[in-house]
Amino acid sequence: MNMKVGNKIILRSLEDKDAIHIESLAGNYDISKTTLSIPHPYPEGAAVTFIKCMREAEKKGEVLIYAIADPMENELVGIINLNLSLHHKRGELAYWVGKEHWGNGYASEAARELLTIGFEEKGLNRIFAAAFVDNPGSWMVMEKIGMKKEGTLRGHVYKGGESVDLHYYGILAEDYFRLKA
């Protein structure tokens, strides 16, 4: 099992038993409205398919994905991943944390760890992320971990039948290592 232990969280591989927690947490409307790809209502059984698809993508080297788990129970409280483009030496960071766990610093700690993995273990040159303009919780995580706002793409995606603006953030390896020094 792939596992990293932090101060507030455990990052570990997705397990079959996580499906029930994914459906429960991601099924909350407030999670769906802050992410592009999580539907509401969350379909029953979809988490099993999601876990299978992510395992296949991991085997192909397309993604690094982790359950964000609390260290006491080892129970999933969210998910974080890096979608990899190794040819271009970059990764796109994405994450969500169940609403009842917001404000505990879980996303920030998990995101810092993914920067470490991406830059120090995978040799990436750039990690970037996007957040809906009206989701300050997400883009504040990006700022906390040293990412810089690179711009806002107006009407970049459709969610719920409406065009949505996205803030894009990024960090280069040289900036990461300078901040770490």
Side-chain angles (χ1 to χ4, degrees):
M1 178 193 309
N2 192 356
M3 185 182 307
K4 306 260 182 198
V5 179
N7 293 323
K8 298 179 182 182
I9 57 152
I10 294 170
L11 290 183
R12 61 165 173 76
S13 299
L14 287 176
E15 301 171 357
D16 292 340
K17 70 176 184 163
D18 293 326
I20 193 163
H21 297 294
I22 292 170
E23 288 183 17
S24 172
L25 295 170
N28 183 303
Y29 173 73
D30 288 330
I31 299 300
S32 174
K33 78 176 187 179
T34 63
T35 63
L36 183 59
S37 60
I38 295 177
H40 186 79
Y42 197 92
E44 188 174 329
V48 172
T49 302
F50 168 77
I51 291 169
K52 253 188 234 183
C53 289
M54 289 298 100
R55 285 181 180 151
E56 288 303 312
E58 277 186 304
K59 286 178 188 171
K60 294 177 186 174
E62 298 169 345
V63 69
L64 296 173
I65 187 161
Y66 295 92
I68 303 170
D70 80 73
M72 299 298 207
E73 308 285 326
N74 195 19
E75 187 173 292
L76 181 138
V77 299
I79 292 178
I80 190 161
N81 61 279
L82 263 179
N83 295 314
L84 300 171
S85 176
L86 296 177
H87 174 75
H88 295 288
K89 298 185 76 171
R90 70 173 181 238
E92 181 176 10
L93 180 67
Y95 48 85
W96 63 266
V97 171
K99 185 174 181 179
E100 54 266 41
H101 305 287
W102 288 359
N104 291 314
Y106 297 158
S108 296
E109 185 172 323
R112 272 189 206 95
E113 186 62 35
L114 265 278
L115 291 185
T116 299
I117 294 167
F119 291 127
E120 296 184 23
E121 295 178 21
K122 293 295 179 183
L124 299 179
N125 179 58
R126 172 177 161 70
I127 295 176
F128 68 98
F132 293 157
V133 170
D134 65 354
N135 184 4
S138 187
W139 46 266
M140 286 169 61
V141 167
M142 297 172 201
E143 290 174 355
K144 282 180 194 173
I145 65 169
M147 297 177 103
K148 300 293 181 207
K149 185 177 176 188
E150 296 179 332
T152 301
L153 300 182
R154 297 173 44 221
H156 191 64
V157 295
Y158 271 82
K159 175 80 177 186
E162 296 182 21
S163 67
V164 179
D165 299 345
L166 293 178
H167 286 320
Y168 269 84
Y169 282 76
I171 186 169
L172 297 176
E174 63 193 61
D175 299 324
Y176 165 81
F177 286 110
R178 186 173 40 252
L179 288 171
K180 191 174 176 186

